Amino acid sequence: MKRCDKCGTSWEQFYKTSMLGCENCYRVFRAELEPVIRKMQGKTRHTGKVPKVGDLDRELLCEYKNLLADKESAMLEGRFEEASELDEEIRQLQYELSRRGLR
Ligand SMILES: [Zn+2]
């Protein structure tokens, strides 16, 4: 199985948790990452229509999608530090969204 030669994270581990062990992972798994990211983008497009959400909810969802898109391009462009900072923001938003029953 393919593993990062620096931190030992396997593709399977990454796929389950969406967390990479180190910045070398992005390089090692780049070929695998791209189709997954494309799939994620497809999904966010299809779930775009959320019925009856308030303005703040809509704003949060919009922000969440923007952050995901930013993280995706940061990953693909090799801006690893930025990607992990965005990861942190995304996690906080996910928490807020699930608290509101939006996820
Ligand atoms: Zn690694």
Side-chain angles (χ1 to χ4, degrees), residues 4-9 20-26 28-29:
C4 171
D5 53 3
K6 209 166 152 190
C7 71
T9 298
L20 293 174
C22 72
E23 33 173 83
N24 190 50
C25 296
Y26 288 98
V28 175
F29 299 124

